[in-house]
Amino acid sequence: NAGVTQTPKFQVLKTGQSMTLQCAQDMNHEYMSWYRQDPGMGLRLIHYSVGAGITDQGEVPNGYNVSRSTTEDFPLRLLSAAPSQTSVYFCASRQVGDYGYTFGSGTRLTVV
Amino acid sequence: DQQVKQNSPSLSVQEGRISILNCDYTNSMFDYFLWYKKYPAEGPTFLISISSIKDKNEDGRFTVFLNKSAKHLSLHIVPSQPGDSAVYFCAASYSGTYKYIFGTGTRLKVLA
């Protein structure tokens, strides 16, 4: 049972480039979320999904897109990377009725 | 506007003593609270939670206390162990949403 898998673990992008951070879970969880962690800012919610085909914005959605075509996958797209998007990104999932999210191990992104 | 605040960025405690981590919130609609623990280079892991209908929840060495009138919760770890050294995040949510709002974290160091 792999849990929540995030790829890649590390990425360096140039300003203006686009990329997709992958997230997959094998626990059949309905709820999935993307967070970013910045020093002194804690974990901030970017986007979340309550099921396949349903997504919504979190606290800091600008510059990011998501889609949820399957229960298992919840990719996060950076449309045009900016240095302000340098951060550690965490994907998380939980089942309906549970309260604790299971987090992936994170993707460390640097935008130069 | 930080709805969930952890005002102590760091805390050092001697092994065997009690660790008390604090968290304040501003949104009176929050009715569910969680604590997560995070080791370096790993995703956060769920530790313990409490519903607003309770004022205390205990799980082994970990106890969470909720004071709704003060909009304050605390995590007690007794006795503290060196393996408890990590960053601790509190998070809050309210019924009808699927979003968790996290605090900025407190780095706990347990000294052997």
Side-chain angles (χ1 to χ4, degrees), chain A residues 31 35 37 50 99 101 104, chain B residues 32 34 36 38 43 98-100:
Chain A
Y31 300 163
Y35 287 87
Q37 184 191 8
V50 299
Y99 287 97
Y101 268 101
Chain B
Y32 204 84
L34 307 93
Y36 279 82
K38 185 183 179 305
Y98 308 97
K99 301 187 289 189
Y100 288 175

Side-chain angles (χ1 to χ4, degrees), chain B residues 34-47:
Chain B
L34 307 93
W35 284 93
Y36 279 82
K37 176 179 178 180
K38 185 183 179 305
Y39 293 117
E42 294 183 11
T45 54
F46 171 67
L47 195 56

Side-chain angles (χ1 to χ4, degrees), chain A residues 60-91:
Chain A
V60 287
N62 292 340
Y64 307 95
N65 273 358
V66 291
S67 60
R68 184 99 179 267
S69 56
T70 67
T71 300
E72 295 77 21
D73 300 299
F74 190 41
L76 178 72
R77 296 183 187 84
L78 279 70
L79 309 173
S80 177
S84 61
Q85 293 178 304
T86 293
S87 187
V88 181
Y89 291 84
F90 290 101
C91 179

Side-chain angles (χ1 to χ4, degrees), chain A residues 6 33-47 58-60 87-92 101-107, chain B residues 1-6 34-39 42-46 87-92 99-106:
Chain A
Q6 291 184 238
S33 296
W34 275 101
Y35 287 87
R36 59 178 287 175
Q37 184 191 8
D38 302 292
M41 302 293 288
L43 290 157
R44 292 183 293 169
L45 180 64
I46 305 171
H47 285 284
E59 303 167 81
V60 287
S87 187
V88 181
Y89 291 84
F90 290 101
C91 179
Y101 268 101
T102 299
F103 280 80
S105 57
T107 295
Chain B
D1 179 30
Q2 193 77 23
Q3 297 186 67
V4 178
K5 301 176 186 178
Q6 294 177 256
L34 307 93
W35 284 93
Y36 279 82
K37 176 179 178 180
K38 185 183 179 305
Y39 293 117
E42 294 183 11
T45 54
F46 171 67
V87 177
Y88 290 79
F89 292 98
C90 66
K99 301 187 289 189
Y100 288 175
I101 306 298
F102 282 79
T104 52
T106 296

